[in-house]
Amino acid sequence: MDRQHRLRKGPEFDTAYAQGTVIAGPLIVLRVLPNSAGHPRWGFAVGKKLVPGAVGRNRLRRRLREAARLSPASESLDIVITARRGAIDASFRDLSRAVGQGLSRAVRSEGGAA
């Protein structure tokens, strides 16, 4: 995923957490906030309480990033995906489906079209 399509700094995440719309599911939680970049920007959060080892956290983050890359996001949104306990053992197909469903709900709640 290109650098311009990622949320990288703490304040960018903080703004999405504080002001974004929350879409919760069994595997992930999406926080969505409109941006002025003209394209979606993604952030991924996998907590140490959820996956204590760095290898496991990074693996789950890579799987979420690929699911996001394959999703049909065309809106100008900041999207933070936070993993839940079920995401650890979920198949890639289930993660992709959860991201897609969360995005479609987010776009509907923001009043746009996918």
Side-chain angles (χ1 to χ4, degrees):
M1 189 171 289
D2 293 340
R3 197 173 178 95
Q4 66 189 15
H5 290 100
R6 293 186 310 213
L7 295 175
R8 298 171 319 180
K9 305 214 181 269
E12 294 173 339
F13 278 83
D14 294 341
T15 302
Y17 271 92
Q19 299 173 8
T21 303
V22 177
I23 287 88
L27 302 179
I28 59 172
V29 176
L30 272 74
R31 285 179 173 77
V32 180
L33 183 67
N35 70 29
S36 60
H39 54 79
R41 296 188 312 167
W42 298 86
F44 304 93
V46 180
K48 285 184 181 179
K49 284 186 181 179
L50 185 64
V51 184
V55 171
R57 278 195 310 278
N58 290 333
R59 180 174 187 265
L60 183 52
R61 200 174 294 119
R62 283 193 306 270
R63 294 175 74 211
L64 289 171
R65 189 178 306 126
E66 182 64 12
R69 189 183 70 80
L70 296 174
S71 71
S74 62
E75 297 294 316
S76 184
L77 300 170
D78 285 346
I79 305 160
V80 176
I81 298 179
T82 305
R84 284 188 153 178
R85 175 105 15 227
I88 298 169
D89 297 322
S91 68
F92 181 73
R93 173 180 273 164
D94 291 340
L95 285 176
S96 295
R97 188 176 302 129
V99 170
Q101 289 172 348
L103 276 177
S104 66
R105 285 179 58 197
V107 169
R108 280 195 309 263
S109 72
E110 293 295 328

Short mmCIF file of all heavy atoms in Angstrom, two decimals, residues 42-71:
data_model
loop_
_atom_site.label_atom_id
_atom_site.label_comp_id
_atom_site.label_asym_id
_atom_site.label_seq_id
_atom_site.Cartn_x
_atom_site.Cartn_y
_atom_site.Cartn_z
N TRP A 42 -5.70 4.54 4.98
CA TRP A 42 -5.95 3.42 5.88
C TRP A 42 -5.00 3.43 7.07
O TRP A 42 -3.82 3.77 6.92
CB TRP A 42 -5.74 2.11 5.13
CG TRP A 42 -6.66 1.90 3.98
CD1 TRP A 42 -6.49 2.33 2.70
CD2 TRP A 42 -7.90 1.21 4.00
NE1 TRP A 42 -7.55 1.93 1.92
CE2 TRP A 42 -8.43 1.24 2.71
CE3 TRP A 42 -8.61 0.55 5.01
CZ2 TRP A 42 -9.64 0.64 2.38
CZ3 TRP A 42 -9.81 -0.05 4.67
CH2 TRP A 42 -10.31 0.01 3.38
N GLY A 43 -5.50 2.98 8.20
CA GLY A 43 -4.69 2.75 9.39
C GLY A 43 -5.12 1.43 10.00
O GLY A 43 -6.28 1.03 9.90
N PHE A 44 -4.19 0.73 10.65
CA PHE A 44 -4.47 -0.58 11.20
C PHE A 44 -3.96 -0.63 12.63
O PHE A 44 -2.84 -0.19 12.91
CB PHE A 44 -3.79 -1.68 10.37
CG PHE A 44 -4.21 -1.61 8.93
CD1 PHE A 44 -3.46 -0.89 8.01
CD2 PHE A 44 -5.36 -2.24 8.50
CE1 PHE A 44 -3.85 -0.80 6.69
CE2 PHE A 44 -5.75 -2.16 7.18
CZ PHE A 44 -5.01 -1.44 6.27
N ALA A 45 -4.78 -1.18 13.54
CA ALA A 45 -4.41 -1.27 14.94
C ALA A 45 -4.65 -2.69 15.44
O ALA A 45 -5.76 -3.22 15.33
CB ALA A 45 -5.22 -0.28 15.77
N VAL A 46 -3.58 -3.29 15.97
CA VAL A 46 -3.67 -4.61 16.59
C VAL A 46 -2.98 -4.47 17.94
O VAL A 46 -1.77 -4.24 18.00
CB VAL A 46 -2.99 -5.70 15.73
CG1 VAL A 46 -3.10 -7.05 16.42
CG2 VAL A 46 -3.59 -5.74 14.34
N GLY A 47 -3.74 -4.59 19.02
CA GLY A 47 -3.22 -4.33 20.35
C GLY A 47 -2.34 -5.42 20.92
O GLY A 47 -2.44 -6.59 20.53
N LYS A 48 -1.47 -5.04 21.84
CA LYS A 48 -0.60 -6.00 22.50
C LYS A 48 -1.38 -6.94 23.40
O LYS A 48 -0.95 -8.07 23.62
CB LYS A 48 0.45 -5.27 23.34
CG LYS A 48 1.55 -4.64 22.52
CD LYS A 48 2.60 -4.02 23.41
CE LYS A 48 3.67 -3.36 22.59
NZ LYS A 48 4.70 -2.74 23.44
N LYS A 49 -2.49 -6.48 23.94
CA LYS A 49 -3.32 -7.38 24.76
C LYS A 49 -3.95 -8.46 23.89
O LYS A 49 -4.16 -9.58 24.33
CB LYS A 49 -4.42 -6.60 25.47
CG LYS A 49 -3.95 -5.80 26.64
CD LYS A 49 -5.12 -5.17 27.37
CE LYS A 49 -4.63 -4.36 28.55
NZ LYS A 49 -5.76 -3.73 29.25
N LEU A 50 -4.26 -8.11 22.66
CA LEU A 50 -4.89 -9.05 21.74
C LEU A 50 -3.88 -10.10 21.27
O LEU A 50 -4.16 -11.30 21.29
CB LEU A 50 -5.46 -8.29 20.54
CG LEU A 50 -6.24 -9.09 19.53
CD1 LEU A 50 -7.51 -9.66 20.16
CD2 LEU A 50 -6.59 -8.23 18.34
N VAL A 51 -2.71 -9.64 20.82
CA VAL A 51 -1.66 -10.53 20.33
C VAL A 51 -0.35 -10.07 20.98
O VAL A 51 0.24 -9.09 20.55
CB VAL A 51 -1.53 -10.49 18.79
CG1 VAL A 51 -0.49 -11.48 18.31
CG2 VAL A 51 -2.86 -10.74 18.12
N PRO A 52 0.10 -10.77 22.02
CA PRO A 52 1.28 -10.29 22.76
C PRO A 52 2.58 -10.23 21.95
O PRO A 52 3.39 -9.34 22.14
CB PRO A 52 1.43 -11.31 23.90
CG PRO A 52 0.11 -11.98 24.01
CD PRO A 52 -0.51 -11.93 22.65
N GLY A 53 2.77 -11.16 21.02
CA GLY A 53 4.01 -11.21 20.26
C GLY A 53 3.98 -10.31 19.03
O GLY A 53 2.97 -10.22 18.33
N ALA A 54 5.10 -9.65 18.76
CA ALA A 54 5.20 -8.75 17.62
C ALA A 54 4.99 -9.48 16.30
O ALA A 54 4.38 -8.94 15.37
CB ALA A 54 6.55 -8.04 17.61
N VAL A 55 5.45 -10.71 16.20
CA VAL A 55 5.31 -11.48 14.96
C VAL A 55 3.83 -11.69 14.65
O VAL A 55 3.37 -11.49 13.52
CB VAL A 55 6.06 -12.83 15.06
CG1 VAL A 55 5.73 -13.71 13.88
CG2 VAL A 55 7.55 -12.60 15.17
N GLY A 56 3.06 -12.08 15.65
CA GLY A 56 1.62 -12.29 15.46
C GLY A 56 0.88 -11.01 15.14
O GLY A 56 -0.02 -11.00 14.28
N ARG A 57 1.24 -9.92 15.82
CA ARG A 57 0.60 -8.62 15.54
C ARG A 57 0.88 -8.18 14.11
O ARG A 57 -0.02 -7.75 13.39
CB ARG A 57 1.10 -7.54 16.49
CG ARG A 57 0.44 -7.53 17.83
CD ARG A 57 0.71 -6.26 18.59
NE ARG A 57 2.10 -5.87 18.68
CZ ARG A 57 2.98 -6.35 19.55
NH1 ARG A 57 2.62 -7.27 20.42
NH2 ARG A 57 4.22 -5.92 19.55
N ASN A 58 2.12 -8.29 13.68
CA ASN A 58 2.48 -7.88 12.33
C ASN A 58 1.83 -8.76 11.27
O ASN A 58 1.41 -8.27 10.23
CB ASN A 58 4.00 -7.88 12.15
CG ASN A 58 4.67 -6.77 12.93
OD1 ASN A 58 4.04 -5.73 13.19
ND2 ASN A 58 5.91 -6.97 13.32
N ARG A 59 1.72 -10.05 11.55
CA ARG A 59 1.06 -10.96 10.60
C ARG A 59 -0.41 -10.58 10.43
O ARG A 59 -0.90 -10.48 9.30
CB ARG A 59 1.16 -12.39 11.09
CG ARG A 59 0.50 -13.37 10.15
CD ARG A 59 0.76 -14.82 10.60
NE ARG A 59 0.25 -15.74 9.60
CZ ARG A 59 -0.96 -16.29 9.67
NH1 ARG A 59 -1.77 -16.02 10.65
NH2 ARG A 59 -1.34 -17.12 8.71
N LEU A 60 -1.11 -10.32 11.53
CA LEU A 60 -2.51 -9.92 11.46
C LEU A 60 -2.65 -8.57 10.77
O LEU A 60 -3.54 -8.37 9.94
CB LEU A 60 -3.12 -9.89 12.86
CG LEU A 60 -4.61 -9.55 12.96
CD1 LEU A 60 -5.43 -10.44 12.04
CD2 LEU A 60 -5.07 -9.69 14.40
N ARG A 61 -1.74 -7.66 11.03
CA ARG A 61 -1.77 -6.35 10.38
C ARG A 61 -1.57 -6.49 8.87
O ARG A 61 -2.25 -5.83 8.08
CB ARG A 61 -0.69 -5.45 10.98
CG ARG A 61 -0.91 -3.99 10.75
CD ARG A 61 0.09 -3.11 11.48
NE ARG A 61 -0.06 -3.22 12.91
CZ ARG A 61 0.88 -3.65 13.75
NH1 ARG A 61 2.07 -4.01 13.31
NH2 ARG A 61 0.65 -3.71 15.04
N ARG A 62 -0.65 -7.36 8.45
CA ARG A 62 -0.44 -7.59 7.01
C ARG A 62 -1.67 -8.18 6.36
O ARG A 62 -2.04 -7.80 5.24
CB ARG A 62 0.76 -8.52 6.79
CG ARG A 62 2.10 -7.87 6.96
CD ARG A 62 3.22 -8.74 6.42
NE ARG A 62 3.22 -10.08 6.98
CZ ARG A 62 3.86 -10.45 8.09
NH1 ARG A 62 4.56 -9.56 8.77
NH2 ARG A 62 3.81 -11.69 8.51
N ARG A 63 -2.33 -9.12 7.04
CA ARG A 63 -3.55 -9.72 6.49
C ARG A 63 -4.66 -8.68 6.36
O ARG A 63 -5.37 -8.64 5.35
CB ARG A 63 -4.00 -10.87 7.37
CG ARG A 63 -3.00 -12.03 7.35
CD ARG A 63 -3.37 -13.12 8.31
NE ARG A 63 -4.49 -13.86 7.76
CZ ARG A 63 -5.42 -14.45 8.50
NH1 ARG A 63 -5.38 -14.39 9.81
NH2 ARG A 63 -6.40 -15.11 7.93
N LEU A 64 -4.80 -7.81 7.35
CA LEU A 64 -5.81 -6.75 7.28
C LEU A 64 -5.47 -5.76 6.17
O LEU A 64 -6.36 -5.28 5.45
CB LEU A 64 -5.91 -6.03 8.63
CG LEU A 64 -6.56 -6.82 9.76
CD1 LEU A 64 -6.39 -6.09 11.08
CD2 LEU A 64 -8.02 -7.11 9.47
N ARG A 65 -4.20 -5.44 6.02
CA ARG A 65 -3.78 -4.51 4.97
C ARG A 65 -4.10 -5.07 3.59
O ARG A 65 -4.58 -4.35 2.71
CB ARG A 65 -2.28 -4.21 5.10
CG ARG A 65 -1.82 -3.09 4.19
CD ARG A 65 -0.34 -2.79 4.35
NE ARG A 65 0.01 -2.52 5.73
CZ ARG A 65 0.96 -3.15 6.40
NH1 ARG A 65 1.69 -4.08 5.83
NH2 ARG A 65 1.22 -2.83 7.66
N GLU A 66 -3.87 -6.34 3.38
CA GLU A 66 -4.18 -6.96 2.09
C GLU A 66 -5.68 -6.99 1.85
O GLU A 66 -6.14 -6.73 0.74
CB GLU A 66 -3.58 -8.37 2.01
CG GLU A 66 -3.81 -9.07 0.70
CD GLU A 66 -3.13 -8.38 -0.49
OE1 GLU A 66 -2.28 -7.49 -0.30
OE2 GLU A 66 -3.45 -8.77 -1.64
N ALA A 67 -6.45 -7.29 2.87
CA ALA A 67 -7.92 -7.28 2.73
C ALA A 67 -8.40 -5.88 2.37
O ALA A 67 -9.29 -5.71 1.53
CB ALA A 67 -8.58 -7.76 4.02
N ALA A 68 -7.79 -4.86 2.96
CA ALA A 68 -8.16 -3.48 2.65
C ALA A 68 -7.74 -3.13 1.23
O ALA A 68 -8.48 -2.45 0.51
CB ALA A 68 -7.49 -2.53 3.65
N ARG A 69 -6.57 -3.59 0.81
CA ARG A 69 -6.09 -3.29 -0.54
C ARG A 69 -7.03 -3.87 -1.60
O ARG A 69 -7.27 -3.25 -2.64
CB ARG A 69 -4.69 -3.85 -0.73
CG ARG A 69 -4.02 -3.42 -2.02
CD ARG A 69 -2.67 -4.08 -2.20
NE ARG A 69 -2.77 -5.51 -2.47
CZ ARG A 69 -3.05 -6.03 -3.67
NH1 ARG A 69 -3.26 -5.25 -4.70
NH2 ARG A 69 -3.13 -7.34 -3.84
N LEU A 70 -7.57 -5.04 -1.33
CA LEU A 70 -8.46 -5.71 -2.28
C LEU A 70 -9.89 -5.19 -2.22
O LEU A 70 -10.71 -5.53 -3.07
CB LEU A 70 -8.46 -7.22 -2.02
CG LEU A 70 -7.12 -7.91 -2.26
CD1 LEU A 70 -7.19 -9.37 -1.84
CD2 LEU A 70 -6.70 -7.78 -3.71
N SER A 71 -10.20 -4.37 -1.23
CA SER A 71 -11.57 -3.87 -1.09
C SER A 71 -11.83 -2.74 -2.08
O SER A 71 -10.91 -2.04 -2.49
CB SER A 71 -11.81 -3.37 0.33
OG SER A 71 -11.10 -2.19 0.54
#
